[in-house]
Amino acid sequence: MTEQTVLVVEDDPEIREVIRLYLEKNNYRVLLATSGEEALQIAEAERPDLAILDVLLPGRNGFEVCRELRAVSPVPILFLSCKKDEADKIAGLNLGGDDYITKPFSPNELMARVRAHLRRPHLAAAEQAGGQPDKLVVGHLRIDRLSRVVRVNGQEVTLSRKEFDLLSFLASRPEQTFSHEQLFREIWGQESFNDTRTIIVHVSNLRKKIEPDPSSPKYIINVHGVGYKFIAGGESHALKL
């Protein structure tokens, strides 16, 4: 397997060094940046497989960097922050972040989350090899799982990697109900530790992009007290190309 590259954007030298050592110990190639501007330059030149992004950075803060990265790339973004308020976490996820860890943190937990985010594309490829359809057409939605492109009414919409994974997973299993815990385990590759907010925010963002009326969704439906299911109705079909 090709060595995977992780961009670490952290202005605290001690934290940056700890993360670098753990990543290299786990056989990742590491790129280091200490500011938002430097991070964007490196990301454009190197195209990392994942970014670990501090929120409080000199110059452009982590949220601003995330917004700019997400406009041009689906790279998984893992926020690392001393800001513990739920509102900050929601803000980061709403901007397209895939995960949010607060300081102080366990380096081993961070490595587990890095592995989970980088493993998901390989799991998706395994699903394809196992017979999952390459393309799904559901109402006004067209989901191409090979190119990871989604179109609504013929227009391509930009999804983060986790948004695409969530939509692809649910749409390929219509009418099946999944709990928050099941979705977190399938899409994030780890236990949720009761982190329902991450799932809720990603579903909300996804609905804004694919639903005709996000306040009255027709595709991703709440199952009260349980979780979510995808409703295909009689309009859907799968294409195996």
Side-chain angles (χ1 to χ4, degrees):
M1 183 184 298
T2 303
E3 187 179 38
Q4 293 173 300
T5 300
V6 179
L7 171 60
V8 179
V9 190
E10 171 62 66
D11 63 330
D12 185 309
E14 293 184 5
I15 295 176
R16 191 171 61 247
E17 181 64 9
V18 167
I19 296 173
R20 183 189 67 79
L21 289 171
Y22 271 81
L23 285 169
E24 290 181 348
K25 181 180 178 181
N26 283 271
N27 300 314
Y28 295 109
R29 173 175 175 251
V30 182
L31 305 171
L32 300 175
T34 60
S35 70
E37 290 80 0
E38 185 181 14
L40 291 169
Q41 291 171 3
I42 292 175
E44 181 178 5
E46 297 285 346
R47 305 292 182 185
D49 298 293
L50 180 141
I52 298 174
L53 183 56
D54 188 18
V55 173
L56 299 178
L57 293 169
R60 288 189 180 97
N61 65 35
F63 289 161
E64 293 171 333
V65 173
C66 176
R67 185 185 294 110
E68 294 195 35
L69 278 177
R70 190 53 75 231
V72 297
S73 170
V75 60
I77 296 173
L78 195 162
F79 280 112
L80 190 62
S81 176
C82 60
K83 303 180 76 171
K84 303 183 189 315
D85 289 346
E86 186 170 291
D88 292 312
K89 179 174 184 177
I90 293 172
L93 297 175
N94 277 333
L95 287 170
D98 297 284
D99 210 342
Y100 194 104
I101 299 177
T102 57
K103 302 174 183 178
F105 62 94
S106 161
N108 288 325
E109 180 187 352
L110 178 62
M111 291 306 104
R113 297 203 187 195
V114 167
R115 285 192 294 271
H117 286 292
L118 291 174
R119 186 170 62 240
R120 182 63 203 175
H122 299 292
L123 294 178
E127 287 180 355
Q128 292 295 127
Q132 289 286 350
D134 298 331
K135 299 181 189 292
L136 297 170
V137 180
V138 187
H140 298 106
L141 289 177
R142 185 179 181 91
I143 305 166
D144 187 328
R145 302 180 71 203
L146 291 179
S147 63
R148 297 180 67 86
V149 170
V150 174
R151 288 183 170 85
V152 178
N153 293 320
Q155 298 296 313
E156 185 175 339
V157 295
T158 302
L159 303 182
S160 73
R161 184 170 297 195
K162 283 293 179 287
E163 288 168 356
F164 182 90
D165 289 343
L166 183 58
L167 176 61
S168 176
F169 178 82
L170 289 171
S172 62
R173 297 161 178 81
E175 313 297 335
Q176 297 182 48
T177 299
F178 295 93
S179 68
H180 294 89
E181 182 64 45
Q182 287 174 311
L183 290 174
F184 208 98
R185 194 159 50 239
E186 290 289 341
I187 307 305
W188 276 260
Q190 58 188 335
E191 299 302 315
S192 72
F193 303 106
N194 296 316
D195 179 14
T196 60
R197 177 57 62 183
T198 295
I199 296 292
I200 291 170
V201 171
H202 276 80
V203 168
S204 175
N205 290 340
L206 196 49
R207 283 172 170 164
K208 292 173 185 175
K209 296 177 181 181
I210 69 168
E211 296 280 3
D213 180 4
S215 64
S216 181
K218 61 179 288 189
Y219 296 122
I220 303 177
I221 307 300
N222 286 67
V223 179
H224 183 67
V226 182
Y228 299 99
K229 67 178 177 180
F230 189 91
I231 300 296
E235 302 177 292
S236 67
H237 59 279
L239 305 175
K240 182 69 175 178
L241 300 178

